Amino acid sequence: MINTDISRKILDRGKSNCQLNALSVADGEFIKADSVSFLQRAFKKGNYFDVIILDPPSFARHEGHVFQVKRDLPKLIALAAAVLNPGGSLLVTTNYSEISHADLERILSKGLNGRRVAQIQRVGQDEDFPGSNSFKESYLAGLWVKFL
């Protein structure tokens, strides 16, 4: 569980990054929440988004729950897809070295719940990153998904 001081610093850094990019902090929300709970609440409230970025940990414990990316990612993708506006985009990434791009595409298809996809682009570790995909700790697989 992330302690409160660290959470506050992370949220403050997000606000600072907005300002550095000439974006208004007042136009955004900076929320500390479990992603599954947040997406479930967004759906119930009818909140929809144009872009969602999912970069879950491989394994996490939070308030008595355990998240395992290999088991729980389809549900997380389904929740995200449910609150994406038509034409919205989803970026889903994982550094779990046992999930390849092909695996990630299969996981994505399980979580789509009938949502139609216009385009899927594979993304991963930048070529210029030292050790790119040459050892487990430098692995990154991702999909940039554009919905209809």
Side-chain angles (χ1 to χ4, degrees), residues 2-138:
I2 297 178
N3 92 26
T4 304
D5 287 339
I6 293 172
S7 296
R8 186 175 33 76
K9 287 178 184 178
I10 291 169
L11 294 176
D12 288 346
R13 175 160 295 178
K15 293 174 186 175
S16 175
N17 283 337
C18 274
Q19 292 169 337
L20 288 171
N21 287 286
L23 300 171
S24 171
V25 173
D27 290 342
E29 289 185 86
F30 296 84
I31 300 167
K32 175 192 169 207
D34 171 78
S35 58
V36 171
S37 299
F38 177 83
L39 291 170
Q40 287 170 332
R41 278 193 307 274
F43 182 76
K44 286 178 185 174
K45 290 181 176 183
N47 294 339
Y48 294 90
F49 306 91
D50 293 324
V51 177
I52 295 177
I53 298 170
L54 299 178
D55 184 25
S58 299
F59 178 87
R61 295 177 198 263
H62 178 69
E63 295 181 0
H65 299 285
V66 174
F67 178 90
Q68 294 177 6
V69 73
K70 210 166 185 180
R71 178 191 70 204
D72 299 320
L73 191 54
K75 177 182 179 180
L76 190 58
I77 289 171
L79 290 166
V83 295
L84 269 173
N85 283 320
S89 295
L90 171 68
L91 174 63
V92 58
T93 64
T94 183
N95 64 351
Y96 186 57
S97 60
E98 292 184 25
I99 297 178
S100 67
H101 280 101
D103 295 329
L104 195 53
E105 287 173 351
R106 282 190 288 278
I107 292 169
L108 173 73
S109 69
K110 289 180 188 176
L112 290 178
N113 289 334
R115 286 291 306 261
R116 294 183 336 161
V117 171
Q119 180 181 358
I120 297 175
Q121 178 183 349
R122 289 182 176 187
V123 295
Q125 195 76 47
D126 285 338
E127 295 289 327
D128 62 346
F129 185 80
S132 289
N133 296 327
S134 61
F135 51 94
K136 287 176 91 168
E137 291 78 14
S138 73

